Amino acid sequence: MASALPSGDMGAAEANSGNGGQMQKKPFTFNEIVLRNRLTALVVDGDNFCRLLEQGILQAYGLETQSVNNGDAAVELIASGAKFDLILIDMLLPILDGVEATRRIRAMGMRCKMLGVTACSGERERQAFLAAGVDVFVEKPLGPEILIPVLRELDGQV
Amino acid sequence: MDRNRLQHQVACMRRSLFDQGYLDEPFIQLEELQDDANPNFVQEIVTLFYTDSARLIQNIEHALNSRPIDFDKLDDYMHQFKGSSSSIGAKKVTNECTVFREYCSAENAEGCIRSFQQVKQEYAILRRKLEVYLQMVRQAAVSRTA
């Protein structure tokens, strides 16, 4: 993916030379995974910015996405028959929170991969979200180290 | 300004934003989303972050000035701000949001007020630096196509 900005490579190299080489991680690119199958995702986040960003990231990986801004809308969408391979759901949501929305989505028989992507970081929140039915609890931001293995699994590349 | 000098300055500024802890890896992910089909993606997402942040800061200020303070509402707002800040890679802002939420959880009004000043300060510093950086990036892009 071409970029008009200084490349991640240059940034990493520059950072290495600037701080004694502490940033040793491989520069990230969206080409690290190429999907063979059509995958769909639902993003559930009450914050416009986070919703847009997460959709953008998933689309960059090649997924088709939809988004809603509250838990009730997510449950309604699933109840209407919509199917997704992946759901990203925040914990604190308007109208119906992410924990209860997850519980209801699972209760409707939806077995897709669900990632609880939230700014909450406590162990109690983590346990509650996992108990409700998310497969992975992710403290924002959602990074490639979490997402790429999930996408590989969904795409049958594992 | 000479094109190479400008690009060097852009790279140096970018490096310092990361080295000084203002930005973190998620910002790199944003940069990777920018391409010929979305040439202004980073500027657009950063502008959206400013708008979102302004709204949340106003909400938090209003909530802090209310009596009695609704700490649940305060925490909700700061949760959102922490989420968007961390998603853009605004490391120092995110850290200050975490401190605020700890005071909020303890229902410590004075602590919330003090830490909110820090949140606003870090946000203002980041915004200033990002505005300068992205302006230089735009200038460098123009000089490349000239």
Side-chain angles (χ1 to χ4, degrees):
Chain A
M1 200 179 268
S3 172
L5 291 161
S7 68
D9 282 353
M10 184 190 295
E14 293 279 350
N16 283 344
S17 64
N19 62 358
Q22 288 181 13
M23 252 178 75
Q24 297 293 339
K25 292 181 187 175
K26 190 177 70 161
F28 162 76
T29 74
F30 282 100
N31 293 327
E32 284 193 41
I33 176 171
V34 179
L35 297 180
R36 299 173 196 151
N37 301 291
R38 176 180 169 269
L39 294 181
T40 57
L42 173 65
V43 175
V44 189
D45 198 307
D47 182 75
N48 285 344
F49 174 78
C50 290
R51 202 168 57 249
L52 186 75
L53 185 57
E54 286 171 11
Q55 272 197 284
I57 290 169
L58 291 174
Q59 285 165 9
Y61 280 115
L63 281 82
E64 292 176 21
T65 68
Q66 284 187 48
S67 71
V68 292
N69 65 1
N70 68 79
D72 186 59
V75 173
E76 277 298 306
L77 190 54
I78 302 300
S80 72
K83 300 248 186 302
F84 300 96
D85 298 294
L86 175 67
I87 297 177
L88 304 187
I89 183 163
D90 194 359
M91 198 163 195
L92 295 188
L93 294 168
I95 304 176
L96 184 70
D97 67 64
V99 172
E100 185 56 30
T102 299
R103 213 171 271 136
R104 294 185 191 184
I105 288 169
R106 288 303 196 203
M108 286 191 284
M110 179 61 76
R111 291 282 143 252
C112 70
K113 198 79 164 180
M114 289 186 74
L115 305 190
V117 185
T118 173
C120 295
S121 56
E123 183 59 25
R124 195 172 52 183
E125 286 86 357
R126 180 176 168 276
Q127 293 297 339
F129 222 172
L130 289 170
V134 299
D135 297 292
V136 186
F137 178 92
V138 182
E139 190 181 340
K140 281 178 180 172
L142 176 63
E145 70 283 355
I146 303 276
L147 196 49
I148 288 178
V150 168
L151 295 180
R152 281 199 215 281
E153 181 192 334
L154 291 174
D155 197 42
Q157 294 185 20
V158 177
Chain B
M1 182 183 290
D2 173 72
R3 187 194 310 178
N4 288 337
R5 272 185 66 196
L6 183 56
Q7 288 178 346
H8 177 71
Q9 287 183 10
V10 168
C12 284
M13 186 160 191
R14 184 180 182 279
R15 180 183 66 191
S16 76
L17 285 170
F18 283 90
D19 283 357
Q20 291 177 35
Y22 289 104
L23 290 178
D24 208 344
E25 279 190 35
F27 191 79
I28 300 174
Q29 192 170 216
L30 287 189
E31 292 176 317
E32 286 295 321
L33 282 168
Q34 182 159 305
D35 59 9
D36 293 338
N38 297 291
N40 302 311
F41 181 79
V42 173
Q43 180 64 69
E44 286 170 6
I45 210 79
V46 168
T47 301
L48 185 57
F49 173 65
Y50 295 155
T51 307
D52 205 52
S53 301
R55 175 184 62 85
L56 289 168
I57 285 171
Q58 191 175 40
N59 288 343
I60 292 167
E61 270 172 345
H62 183 75
L64 276 173
N65 289 329
S66 302
R67 293 293 179 271
I69 292 179
D70 185 339
F71 286 101
D72 285 341
K73 192 179 280 186
L74 257 185
D75 190 61
D76 277 354
Y77 291 140
M78 192 51 85
H79 169 91
Q80 287 182 54
F81 196 17
K82 184 185 170 188
S84 55
S85 300
S86 64
S87 297
I88 203 171
K91 191 173 170 186
K92 290 192 180 194
V93 176
T94 304
N95 291 342
E96 294 301 336
C97 291
T98 300
V99 173
F100 180 97
R101 293 191 75 201
E102 286 165 5
Y103 282 119
C104 209
S105 165
E107 298 196 354
N108 181 335
E110 290 223 7
C112 285
I113 291 167
R114 266 199 322 271
S115 66
F116 185 51
Q117 295 307 314
Q118 288 299 114
V119 169
K120 287 195 292 185
Q121 187 175 327
E122 288 299 342
Y123 168 73
I125 293 171
L126 173 69
R127 179 166 175 165
R128 271 200 309 273
K129 286 181 181 288
L130 270 179
E131 281 172 350
V132 172
Y133 169 65
L134 290 176
Q135 186 178 16
M136 288 174 67
V137 165
R138 284 193 297 275
Q139 286 174 357
V142 166
S143 73
R144 268 197 298 276
T145 55

